[in-house]
Amino acid sequence: MTWLDRVLVWAMPGYCSFCLAGAGDSPWCEQCLVGLPWHVSGCPVCSEPRPASVPSHVICGHCLKRRPDFDQSWVPFLYEDEIAQLIQRFKFNADRRAGQILLQLMVHAFDVQHGPEHVQAIVTADLHLSRARERGFDQTRWLGQRLAHALDLPLYRATRRRQTPTQRGLSRSARQRNVRHVYHVTSALPPCVLLLDDVMTTGATLDALSRACREKGAEHVTACAMARTPAGRAI
């Protein structure tokens, strides 16, 4: 979408953010919604994408080898096409319009895909202050505040004990080492919590966050992200 297209979307409410066709009260038309890269088949633990022919209860090889700390995951989209573009604009360009569309898509997905049940709170992991300043805002906290409000759930935040190198481009094992023992939750948590991140690649960040949440009373942990990277692809 060009700069002019984005301006027109802002100026013309009721039009699809993807094709600019009439869209009523939603920021998308039905055709574009159906055509988004929905994540329809993945490991029940880490959501790694796999062929639809694999039974939904079968756990992937990565989780059999080293099961993450969280109990299950829920990720409605693949990190591809329009969703990847929205996340990149939101995450790296501080584009609140893109964030608002992603938020509404998440809430919609909770309704149509029957999101995780019995969740009592949402937990997000704060960016280190220096990285939040570099990007202009903390995108996960921004999304978490609004999703918690939309779902009528309390929001808890985990802080970072130290700054870490970016996860982008790191291998699975390097990602796990990079975030080990990095998160700290100060408040006691209810038994069932939902961990929220923007993109899930190997699940290392959410795994580390889950361990910090267990220390504060969480018993059943669901990892959640807007999108999952395809198998074998790191960002």
Side-chain angles (χ1 to χ4, degrees):
M1 183 181 290
T2 66
W3 176 84
L4 178 59
D5 287 338
R6 289 197 292 271
V7 172
L8 289 173
V9 167
W10 272 104
M12 299 187 299
Y15 286 77
C16 177
S17 301
F18 304 105
C19 72
L20 296 182
D25 296 331
S26 300
W28 52 73
C29 66
E30 189 63 27
Q31 183 175 352
C32 286
L33 179 66
V34 172
L36 292 176
W38 291 89
H39 186 6
V40 296
S41 180
C43 170
V45 178
C46 75
S47 285
E48 178 168 297
R50 70 265 188 98
S53 58
V54 180
S56 60
H57 68 277
V58 174
I59 296 173
C60 74
H62 291 301
C63 291
L64 288 174
K65 183 177 180 180
R66 183 189 180 278
R67 190 179 179 109
D69 186 79
F70 48 81
D71 299 287
Q72 63 181 17
S73 61
W74 183 78
V75 186
F77 296 100
L78 294 173
Y79 187 74
E80 296 177 341
D81 306 326
E82 298 92 343
I83 294 298
Q85 294 170 22
L86 282 172
I87 291 175
Q88 288 165 10
R89 285 166 42 200
F90 175 53
K91 187 172 182 175
F92 301 115
N93 297 324
D95 187 336
R96 266 61 168 190
R97 171 63 175 173
Q100 189 64 33
I101 296 169
L102 288 166
L103 170 66
Q104 292 186 56
L105 284 170
M106 287 284 286
V107 174
H108 176 78
F110 258 87
D111 290 336
V112 300
Q113 288 190 344
H114 305 293
E117 298 180 345
H118 311 301
V119 174
Q120 296 170 297
I122 293 176
V123 183
T124 61
D126 289 356
L127 285 176
H128 191 273
L129 184 58
S130 62
R131 186 156 295 155
R133 286 173 176 167
E134 176 185 320
R135 291 184 180 174
F137 78 127
D138 187 328
Q139 77 282 347
T140 306
R141 186 195 304 180
W142 186 96
L143 183 68
Q145 290 171 336
R146 286 153 181 80
L147 185 61
H149 178 75
L151 300 179
D152 194 25
L153 292 170
L155 177 69
Y156 293 83
R157 290 159 46 193
T159 58
R160 283 177 175 262
R161 290 189 170 100
R162 64 183 186 279
Q163 173 67 299
T164 57
T166 178
Q167 295 278 76
R168 300 185 74 191
L170 296 181
S171 67
R172 178 180 294 268
S173 58
R175 285 172 179 254
Q176 293 167 350
R177 292 192 300 270
N178 192 39
V179 294
R180 188 173 296 156
H181 306 306
V182 75
Y183 294 116
H184 175 61
V185 180
T186 57
S187 304
L189 295 175
C192 298
V193 299
L194 179 77
L195 312 184
L196 180 64
D197 202 358
D198 51 9
V199 179
M200 187 176 182
T201 301
T202 64
T205 297
L206 291 162
D207 176 67
L209 179 57
S210 178
R211 295 176 189 277
C213 290
R214 302 275 192 197
E215 295 175 357
K216 290 297 181 178
E219 298 173 3
H220 189 275
V221 180
T222 299
C224 173
M226 293 182 287
R228 185 62 157 84
T229 56
R233 175 183 170 187
I235 60 169

